[in-house]
Amino acid sequence: LVVRAPQGRMLLASRLGILLSTFNAAAALAVGAALADRGFRPLLGIPHDRAIGIHLNLAVLGWLTLLIVTVGRTLTPMLSLAPAAPRRRLPLEELVLTGGLWILVAGLALGARAPMIVGALLVVGAIVVFAVMTARIGRRHRMEGLEGPLTHVVTGMFFLGQAAILGIGMLFGLDASPARLTAYVVALLVGWAGGVTLGHLGKLLSLSAWAWWPAGPRPKQAALYPRRVWLVEAIVFAVGIELLLNGVLGGSE
């Protein structure tokens, strides 16, 4: 569907970004299936813990994060009633993120720290560009107040930053304890990828309900979206993730 989309028409995301995200998702699924088959035995000579790292980063960075970056470039300003991001000749953020991811994956496969560090820094750099765009949207949005989706993106960036500090810290010699690895997964997978993805659910459901409303008078789209409820949800989610993250690091139930 992406390849056959008409040329010169506005798409929700770059074709290349969607294709790369789909490829990474397929790779993550293949590695996950191999892990399920092999159990705790090495996978193609790669120790189990590093193979788990490959699977996790392919899924969360290569699939979900890349999808958030490539779709969020259009969707975040659209839902925030902010000016659209400028047109690009090439989807550089998506290319840099994907290149960094596969350098990181190669480092994990080989057990080499240098490519892992280089790949991680490239991924972080691509996401920082997206974060700058999100900050611009936060300053220039034309909504009456903050809404759930933008709040999830902003707090998700905060969790992504914590995951980056933990991950890069462990690459530079910080002890990769089970607590730190678990906190990395909580921040990256739940706080960032899960929060930003599911945080758009209420807005998109209200838009869909409005678009598919039966013939005749229809309510305003805003009437189908309880803004305060979803804003409270985003705040409670962020507080819960931060408590969970610190509880994991502190060994507190």
Side-chain angles (χ1 to χ4, degrees):
L1 288 174
V2 173
V3 171
R4 294 174 59 190
Q7 296 290 333
R9 299 287 295 277
M10 189 190 81
L11 299 179
L12 192 59
S14 71
R15 289 172 174 82
L16 185 60
I18 296 293
L19 289 172
L20 290 173
S21 175
T22 305
F23 173 78
N24 292 332
L29 181 62
V31 175
L35 280 167
D37 179 63
R38 298 288 297 174
F40 288 92
R41 292 174 292 169
L43 176 64
L44 300 177
I46 304 170
H48 179 75
D49 57 344
R50 296 212 307 266
I52 285 283
I54 291 172
H55 170 63
L56 172 74
N57 286 292
L58 279 173
V60 182
L61 295 178
W63 172 34
L64 293 174
T65 300
L66 182 57
L67 199 60
I68 290 168
V69 168
T70 191
V71 175
R73 184 177 174 83
T74 302
L75 192 62
T76 302
M78 182 190 300
L79 296 183
S80 304
L81 303 180
R87 293 178 64 89
R88 303 173 297 174
R89 295 186 62 183
L90 286 173
L92 289 177
E93 295 98 310
E94 291 91 325
L95 289 170
V96 171
L97 196 157
T98 304
L101 167 72
W102 281 96
I103 293 173
L104 172 63
V105 166
L108 284 168
L110 298 172
R113 181 173 294 182
M116 284 192 275
I117 293 173
V118 171
L121 291 176
L122 285 172
V123 170
V124 170
I127 297 171
V128 165
V129 174
F130 179 71
V132 170
M133 186 201 76
T134 303
R136 176 183 61 81
I137 293 168
R139 292 194 307 268
R140 300 174 63 184
H141 70 83
R142 295 193 294 268
M143 299 178 296
E144 294 180 1
L146 276 178
E147 289 190 352
L150 185 56
T151 305
H152 267 290
V153 173
V154 172
T155 57
M157 288 290 180
F158 179 68
F159 294 126
L160 183 61
Q162 292 182 86
I165 291 169
L166 278 169
I168 293 175
M170 287 185 284
L171 288 178
F172 275 100
L174 186 67
D175 179 38
S177 65
R180 290 193 179 107
L181 291 170
T182 303
Y184 173 77
V185 175
V186 169
L188 186 67
L189 176 59
V190 189
W192 159 246
V196 173
T197 304
L198 298 178
H200 285 76
L201 184 62
K203 193 75 169 182
L204 295 177
L205 284 175
S206 66
L207 285 170
S208 298
W210 183 85
W212 288 93
W213 200 265
R218 70 174 69 188
K220 291 184 177 180
Q221 189 270 324
L224 301 174
Y225 179 75
R227 185 174 66 85
R228 290 184 179 179
V229 171
W230 287 100
L231 182 59
V232 169
E233 177 273 329
I235 294 170
V236 171
F237 178 87
V239 172
I241 293 296
E242 189 60 32
L243 287 172
L244 175 59
L245 190 62
N246 284 276
V248 168
L249 287 172
S252 168
E253 296 180 359

